[in-house]
Amino acid sequence: KNEVEQSPQNLTAQEGEFITINCSYSVGISALHWLQQHPGGGIVSLFMLSSGKKKHGRLIATINIQEKHSSLHITASHPRDSAVYICAALISGNTPLVFGKGTRLSVIA
Amino acid sequence: ETGVTQSPTHLIKTRGQQVTLRCSSQSGHNTVSWYQQALGQGPQFIFQYYREEENGRGNFPPRFSGLQFPNYSSELNVNALELDDSALYLCASSFPGQGGNTIYFGEGSWLTVV
């Protein structure tokens, strides 16, 4: 069993829909990253969270440390949001990230 | 623009050959990690370097080796290539020893072994 689990694996949405991607982890962490990967392969860091909530534009990320759960929300989704969204856990300061398998999002116009 | 550059972007090698992939990080980012991402999977940790020394390694055989240089560049070397080594190889850099710092990824190197 992977230490970081994401759901759903695949998600198709109509433009404008509100989207939620979930991430749960089984170990104690110091921070959690949400990453976006486009078909070309490059990964962009969206958020790094250790508590609470962060917002950037139409993206919102929340984390509940006690429940070992984080969510990424996209409001007013757009086809350009289509990508793979990956959560990755940082267990302690200088350890490598532990990645989920990603959620493939397709937003249809 | 993440400030992390990888080369080459795509390459094809024959089974048994050796390959060197390169990564150039932002100045001051003296922690660099390398990941292998097979199609449809999340990235898997290969190893990490801090100030030119390996300080963490994932479940990869010794034919995967690396180097980090004082100018914040690094290399991933893979010897005796196998078909299963075909994947996207990502490097990522960050400031060291500070839990929860932003991590910067390169665009990756797509390796195909035939």
Side-chain angles (χ1 to χ4, degrees):
Chain A
K1 185 175 173 3
N2 203 25
E3 290 172 311
V4 178
E5 297 280 350
Q6 284 186 240
S7 63
Q9 282 189 304
N10 295 282
L11 179 58
T12 300
Q14 292 291 324
E15 183 175 359
E17 282 186 13
F18 179 81
I19 287 161
T20 295
I21 300 170
N22 295 300
C23 176
S24 60
Y25 48 92
S26 58
V27 296
I29 66 169
S30 64
L32 186 120
H33 292 257
W34 280 102
L35 310 166
Q36 181 190 56
Q37 186 172 34
H38 281 281
I43 291 179
V44 174
S45 177
L46 299 174
F47 295 103
M48 186 271 301
L49 291 163
S50 53
S51 65
K53 174 172 131 176
K54 286 191 176 179
K55 184 175 188 296
H56 186 256
R58 295 180 294 104
L59 302 177
I60 303 166
T62 63
I63 190 167
N64 185 318
I65 296 293
Q66 286 73 29
E67 294 185 6
K68 293 187 168 62
H69 181 269
S70 176
S71 293
L72 176 68
H73 305 284
I74 305 175
T75 61
S77 60
H78 190 276
R80 64 174 174 267
D81 297 326
S82 299
V84 176
Y85 292 84
I86 304 172
C87 70
L90 182 69
I91 295 172
S92 65
N94 213 23
T95 58
L97 291 173
V98 179
F99 290 82
K101 290 189 177 180
T103 295
R104 183 173 299 277
L105 171 65
S106 297
V107 181
I108 300 168
Chain B
E1 178 61 48
T2 65
V4 179
T5 306
Q6 289 189 242
S7 62
T9 54
H10 295 80
L11 72 166
I12 300 173
K13 289 285 190 178
T14 303
R15 191 171 50 182
Q17 284 188 313
Q18 179 265 344
V19 69
T20 297
L21 306 178
R22 294 182 172 83
C23 174
S24 176
S25 306
Q26 292 187 35
S27 179
H29 282 199
N30 48 15
T31 295
V32 65
S33 305
W34 284 89
Y35 298 88
Q36 181 196 66
Q37 185 177 20
L39 209 58
Q41 301 295 314
Q44 298 293 315
F45 173 67
I46 303 175
F47 45 59
Q48 177 171 286
Y49 277 79
Y50 171 60
R51 290 186 177 174
E52 301 161 49
E53 289 196 11
E54 185 181 297
N55 74 339
R57 190 175 182 92
N59 189 26
F60 280 80
R63 58 190 185 83
F64 285 77
S65 63
L67 285 171
Q68 186 186 26
F69 303 101
N71 65 352
Y72 306 107
S73 66
S74 64
E75 288 181 355
L76 164 64
N77 298 289
V78 187
N79 294 322
L81 283 167
E82 300 176 1
L83 298 180
D84 285 349
D85 296 333
S86 296
L88 174 67
Y89 289 85
L90 294 158
C91 82
S93 70
S94 63
F95 287 108
Q98 299 175 27
N101 258 17
T102 300
I103 190 163
Y104 299 89
F105 285 86
E107 293 286 318
S109 293
W110 290 95
L111 171 65
T112 301
V113 183
V114 298

